[in-house]
């Protein structure tokens, strides 16, 4: 299982906005420069994040993007799910139902429990890390 650039860059962009939380709108150009992401690609990512209600855009010469919630209230899991969809190592664990449309053997599969544990572990880790945690980690590394 591998995250696409959508997920990785989505987290990087939101982290950048979190670092500047409370400082007013942040231009995509500045986020793109700091994070090494194409401004055009960032616009696409921000569209999905805006639609999900995690960022808002402000138009005009002093415009840009801001988080709609405090960085403590947004997890890496939230962002990854918006950008990538549900996290699952195999399709059959996208639902908890033993009988599902992804695999006719799901109800009798010996390994399905393993994949469900992998899914749950990944989601627990991603949901336990907030943007504020990432910002604190960055500050710690900067202090060293």
């Amino acid at each position: 299982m591998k995250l696409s650039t959508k997920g990785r860059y989505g987290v990087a962009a939101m982290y950048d906005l979190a670092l500047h939380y409370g400082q007013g709108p942040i231009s995509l150009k500045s986020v793109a420069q700091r994070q090494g992401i194409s401004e055009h690609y960032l616009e696409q990512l921000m569209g999905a994040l805006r639609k999900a209600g995690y960022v808002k855009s402000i138009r005009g010469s002093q415009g840009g993007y801001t988080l709609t919630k405090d960085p403590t209230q947004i997890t890496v899991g939230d962002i990854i799910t918006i950008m990538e969809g549900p996290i699952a190592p195999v399709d059959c664990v996208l639902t908890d139902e033993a009988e599902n449309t992804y695999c006719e053997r799901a109800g009798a599969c010996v390994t399905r429990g393993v994949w469900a544990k992998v899914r749950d572990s990944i989601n627990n880790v991603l949901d336990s890390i907030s943007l504020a945690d990432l910002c604190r980690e960055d500050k710690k590394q900067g202090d060293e």
Side-chain angles (χ1 to χ4, degrees):
M1 191 177 88
K2 196 173 173 181
L3 293 177
S4 73
T5 55
K6 273 173 64 171
R8 295 194 318 270
Y9 290 177
V11 171
M14 291 291 281
Y15 157 76
D16 196 288
L17 293 180
L19 277 177
H20 299 93
Y21 184 69
Q23 298 175 14
I26 307 300
S27 75
L28 277 191
K29 184 175 188 163
S30 64
V31 174
Q33 288 172 338
R34 285 189 296 265
Q35 298 301 321
I37 304 169
S38 136
E39 192 175 346
H40 177 71
Y41 194 41
L42 263 181
E43 287 172 8
Q44 295 173 19
L45 302 179
M46 286 298 168
L49 292 162
R50 188 177 64 241
K51 204 180 286 185
Y54 283 79
V55 298
K56 68 178 177 181
S57 62
I58 290 106
R59 295 183 182 273
S61 61
Q62 299 299 312
Y65 284 84
T66 60
L67 299 177
T68 58
K69 302 176 183 182
D70 188 277
T72 59
Q73 303 300 308
I74 302 172
T75 68
V76 172
D78 294 332
I79 301 162
I80 294 293
T81 302
I82 291 163
M83 304 314 295
E84 303 275 355
I87 301 281
V90 290
D91 287 345
C92 70
V93 295
L94 286 171
T95 177
D96 284 330
E97 300 168 24
E99 295 296 322
N100 67 55
T101 57
Y102 298 105
C103 179
E104 59 194 40
R105 297 183 22 174
C109 182
V110 175
T111 60
R112 186 169 187 272
V114 172
W115 308 132
K117 286 179 184 175
V118 169
R119 174 204 60 201
D120 294 345
S121 295
I122 291 169
N123 285 325
N124 288 338
V125 169
L126 295 176
D127 290 342
S128 74
I129 303 167
S130 71
L131 288 177
D133 295 331
L134 291 181
C135 293
R136 277 193 293 277
E137 193 62 34
D138 178 68
K139 184 166 175 23
K140 252 193 265 178
Q141 288 178 357
D143 291 343
E144 293 174 359

